[in-house]
Amino acid sequence: MTAVNFVIVGFGGMGSYHEKNLMPTEKEKINLIGVYDILEERQEVAHEKGLFTYESFEAVLADEKVDAVLIAVPNDLHKSMSIAALKAGKHVVCEKPATLNTAEFDEILAVAADTGNRFMVHQNRRWDPDFLMVRNLYQNKPIGSVFQIESRVNGANGIPGDWRHLKKHGGGMLLDWGIHLLDQILWLVDSPIKDVKVDFSYILGDEVDDGFTSFITFENGVKALVEVGTTNYVKLPRWYVKATEGTARIDDWDLSGEMVRAVQTANESMPQPIQAGVGLTKTMAPPSEDATEELALPEATAEYDTFYSNVYHVIRDGAQPIVKNTEVRNVLLLIEQMFEEDK
Ligand code: NAD
């Protein structure tokens, strides 16, 4: 087994997360041999960690020891740096969003095809335990067939950092968090999209969106609400899933939540009316105890390889990438449609 020699380009928040948390999980397969960041202070941080630092991006590309680069720079630089690396004979792992639109993405893929080098995108949230729970629900149907999914991330800290506030850098929340949530939903549902509606939020006064709410209807009938908010001082649940025989709620990344399934006797056992505000209701009363049962939320296991192990096998053995470029392109196309609707 010959490990893949990687260099991290862009040693900011995410570049350093790859170094500290992701690459070390596959020590045998991924060998981090150096770092390059345009900022001296980030080079210094890398140096203090005992990492080799390159003087320039060109120096990274000129080093024959380098098999692959991780591109973890602001979004607008992904295209030019990925293309330069592919042309220099390197494989590329690029942070999300791969590019700002499909035209840029196609340019990268054309160079990857010409050079025979691999281009892969870090859509890491396919491995998130909360997503894996929903995937389990969708595929194994413990509460029947899923027909409605609400996927939200709600923060109250506004848009973080500097470049994320600017359009020219590919800022805004649709390209930041939105791309994660849309990648999850499109990969999960695996049916063509029939209809999309989106409402962007510009509450913070930035030139880019600080959040959005979207409604997606798939041709197989499944409906999804996908929402990102950065001005939510009170959060809604991370996931709310309705299926033909029950409902599940996953509150947060701590995987707390609840899942309830209707039991056979549901129709025979009518709920008792309750006081609701200044009125009375049977419709909105909790179901009677014998009509439902509480189930444990499903397992959160991925039956697929880890991200970096897959990267290794793609590069060394010609394996199929878990995050396929056709899928990445479909998400970018959906994002394009959403921006188009905002004009
Ligand atoms: P950041 O601002 O913290 O880091 C970006 C780094 O790139 C900075 O250190 C900056 O100096 C460096 N840089 C800028 N121009 C450069 C150049 N020409 N050459 C070399 N280095 C350069 O931003 P971040 O949060 O780390 O985001 C970086 C990328 O990672 C973005 O594309 C972002 O969308 C992505 N990201 C992904 C996840 C995820 O979960 N997959 C999470 C956070 C960020």
Side-chain angles (χ1 to χ4, degrees), residues 9-16 18 36-39 42 57 71-75 77-78 81 95-97 122-125 162-164 175-176 180:
V9 179
F11 200 58
M14 199 55 189
S16 26
H18 279 262
Y36 168 65
D37 195 290
I38 202 162
L39 271 188
R42 296 308 302 169
F57 185 44
I71 301 292
V73 293
N75 300 342
L77 297 172
H78 291 181
M81 296 181 91
E95 260 306 338
K96 49 53 62 173
H122 189 230
Q123 288 296 163
N124 47 319
R125 295 198 175 276
D162 45 10
W163 59 265
R164 280 182 176 81
L175 280 169
D176 193 59
H180 281 305

Side-chain angles (χ1 to χ4, degrees), residues 82-99:
S82 295
I83 286 180
L86 290 165
K87 283 188 172 165
K90 312 301 180 197
H91 303 287
V92 173
V93 170
C94 184
E95 260 306 338
K96 49 53 62 173
T99 54

Side-chain angles (χ1 to χ4, degrees), residues 13-172:
M14 199 55 189
S16 26
Y17 187 79
H18 279 262
E19 177 267 326
K20 191 164 175 244
N21 300 77
L22 301 178
M23 291 181 175
T25 63
E26 298 296 343
K27 273 200 188 94
E28 312 260 286
K29 296 174 178 158
I30 305 292
N31 183 25
L32 178 62
I33 64 168
V35 163
Y36 168 65
D37 195 290
I38 202 162
L39 271 188
E40 193 47 48
E41 65 198 63
R42 296 308 302 169
Q43 293 272 85
E44 198 48 47
V45 171
H47 185 69
E48 278 165 17
K49 284 177 155 250
L51 296 163
F52 178 79
T53 52
Y54 288 83
E55 275 174 13
S56 63
F57 185 44
E58 291 68 31
V60 175
L61 302 189
D63 184 351
E64 285 186 1
K65 290 194 301 301
V66 180
D67 298 314
V69 292
L70 165 75
I71 301 292
V73 293
N75 300 342
D76 57 315
L77 297 172
H78 291 181
K79 184 192 97 171
S80 58
M81 296 181 91
S82 295
I83 286 180
L86 290 165
K87 283 188 172 165
K90 312 301 180 197
H91 303 287
V92 173
V93 170
C94 184
E95 260 306 338
K96 49 53 62 173
T99 54
L100 307 187
N101 53 51
T102 52
E104 286 190 0
F105 191 65
D106 292 344
E107 281 185 59
I108 298 180
L109 293 193
V111 178
D114 273 0
T115 58
N117 297 314
R118 306 303 298 255
F119 176 78
M120 288 158 276
V121 182
H122 189 230
Q123 288 296 163
N124 47 319
R125 295 198 175 276
R126 292 188 186 188
W127 285 264
D128 276 7
D130 55 289
F131 170 68
L132 292 171
M133 280 181 160
V134 175
R135 195 166 186 267
N136 184 327
L137 278 182
Y138 192 90
Q139 293 183 337
N140 298 324
K141 303 184 172 38
I143 50 171
S145 295
V146 169
F147 61 86
Q148 184 181 319
I149 305 166
E150 297 183 18
S151 168
R152 290 187 175 82
V153 288
N154 287 168
N157 301 317
I159 301 175
D162 45 10
W163 59 265
R164 280 182 176 81
H165 291 259
L166 300 173
K167 217 176 239 173
K168 68 173 182 188
H169 291 308

Side-chain angles (χ1 to χ4, degrees), residues 236-294:
L236 285 165
R238 173 70 188 84
W239 297 92
Y240 182 72
V241 181
K242 286 173 76 176
T244 46
E245 292 157 31
T247 308
R249 193 191 73 240
I250 301 170
D251 293 321
D252 218 327
W253 292 292
D254 67 2
L255 308 184
S256 57
E258 193 178 359
M259 184 158 90
V260 173
R261 181 170 66 185
V263 295
Q264 295 298 327
T265 55
N267 290 339
E268 296 142 29
S269 152
M270 292 306 289
Q272 293 304 308
I274 56 160
Q275 182 78 25
V278 293
L280 192 70
T281 182
K282 201 153 47 171
T283 320
M284 296 305 158
S288 51
E289 264 179 35
D290 57 347
T292 57
E293 61 176 343
E294 189 148 347

